[in-house]
Amino acid sequence: MNRKYRHTVIAGNWKMNLLASDVKAYATELRSLIPDFHKWCDAIACVPFTSLPAAIRAFRTTRVMIGAQNMNQHKSGAYTGEVSGAQLKDLGVRYVIIGHSERRELFGETDDIVNKKVLAAIQQQLRPIICVGESLGQRETGVTNDLVAMQVKSALNGVDALKLRSAIIAYEPIWAIGSGLTATPQDAQDVCCEIRAVIRSLYGARTARAIPVLYGGSMNEKNAHDLLAQPDIDGGLIGGASLKPELFAAIIKAANQ
């Protein structure tokens, strides 16, 4: 982490877990565990669509900000079952995950769709958490850096430097998500450094220094400290460990270094 230039960000991705009726108790417990966490990091809870109103209410008196896990690239229209950035903004949502590997792998989201969603999110003044990362096969064939660079460039196509300042990039190696496997701190640092180098090549050093880059491959309370000690890892996009307040709190505490 490098707090001289950018904030540390710990974002929980609840995926399709927990109910709206669970949110209040979760928020109460998290607040009791880390009442002053905001002194060292920004915390975000990215909850299912059905839990967004409950989360906005429950976390209103805390420093936890609320994010969605996806959005449609269109502002409105005949897209049954979809949710737009304008609708998220109207609720009071501040962040949105875009291009998560599960969206890419399971629902066919392409780099072009990811780019359109990034542009739509920024237009609605939502902060996109843009996910990039490689499969195990791609890592084994040595194309990780080239693939991640391509994903970053594609996602940011058409985004100007000033608007990019609202974005967050999350490196999430697909092979580590939900598998219990984690990239070594040095491996994760190497890819996060490459992501920053790509941003530098596109927008210059000042902008590259300002963009938080998170690690999102099975970060947990045991490995968070070592991962967050790396100079280009500015936080985490947390999956399973974010579902229990005590584990999420432990990761937030690990950011206090």
Side-chain angles (χ1 to χ4, degrees):
M1 296 179 292
N2 189 331
R3 289 199 178 95
K4 181 178 179 181
Y5 296 111
R6 49 196 177 265
H7 285 188
T8 303
V9 178
I10 304 295
N13 176 14
W14 292 10
K15 304 190 180 182
M16 198 174 71
N17 294 293
L18 303 182
L19 304 175
S21 56
D22 297 323
V23 173
K24 184 176 180 180
Y26 182 107
T28 299
E29 184 175 353
L30 184 64
R31 184 168 53 241
S32 71
L33 291 167
I34 41 170
D36 61 348
F37 72 88
H38 61 275
K39 294 180 180 178
W40 61 80
C41 79
D42 295 337
I44 306 164
C46 295
V47 307
F49 289 135
T50 54
S51 295
L52 286 171
I56 290 166
R57 289 193 301 270
F59 287 105
R60 183 169 288 139
T61 58
T62 76
R63 296 292 292 268
V64 177
M65 292 165 281
I66 303 304
Q69 299 171 14
N70 184 36
M71 59 171 277
N72 190 273
Q73 63 269 36
H74 300 284
K75 187 174 181 178
S76 62
Y79 304 102
T80 301
E82 292 293 290
V83 175
S84 73
Q87 290 169 327
L88 296 176
K89 181 183 178 182
D90 186 61
L91 283 177
V93 171
R94 301 277 300 279
Y95 293 79
V96 59
I97 298 173
I98 294 177
H100 192 279
S101 64
E102 290 161 1
R103 298 296 313 175
R104 295 176 188 257
E105 294 290 313
L106 300 177
F107 301 99
E109 290 193 5
T110 64
D111 288 337
D112 181 60
I113 291 173
V114 169
N115 174 242
K116 289 176 179 176
K117 290 186 176 186
V118 169
L119 293 171
I122 291 173
Q123 185 178 39
Q124 291 299 324
Q125 298 178 317
L126 297 171
R127 295 194 65 181
I129 302 173
I130 305 165
C131 299
V132 298
E134 83 284 13
S135 68
L136 182 58
Q138 290 163 335
R139 168 164 282 273
E140 290 175 339
T141 56
V143 300
T144 293
N145 284 357
D146 289 341
L147 177 74
V148 168
M150 181 188 69
Q151 289 176 329
V152 171
K153 290 176 181 178
S154 178
L156 301 182
N157 184 35
V159 178
D160 68 42
L162 286 177
K163 292 181 178 179
L164 180 64
R165 296 279 182 126
S166 72
I168 296 169
I169 309 293
Y171 167 53
E172 43 155 31
I174 297 170
W175 51 270
I177 297 170
S179 66
L181 300 172
T182 308
T184 67
Q186 188 59 57
D187 285 343
Q189 160 62 20
D190 289 346
V191 180
C192 290
C193 182
E194 173 66 18
I195 290 170
R196 202 173 306 284
V198 172
I199 297 172
R200 186 182 304 114
S201 72
L202 296 173
Y203 296 96
R206 181 176 295 182
T207 298
R209 285 196 301 264
I211 304 302
V213 179
L214 314 184
Y215 175 73
S218 294
M219 183 184 285
N220 56 48
E221 74 284 1
K222 297 177 181 178
N223 59 33
H225 186 277
D226 289 341
L227 287 163
L228 295 172
Q230 303 304 309
D232 286 294
I233 298 178
D234 304 309
L237 179 59
I238 317 300
S242 71
L243 300 178
K244 295 183 178 181
E246 66 273 20
L247 300 184
F248 195 48
I251 296 170
I252 292 172
K253 289 177 181 177
N256 184 24
Q257 58 178 290

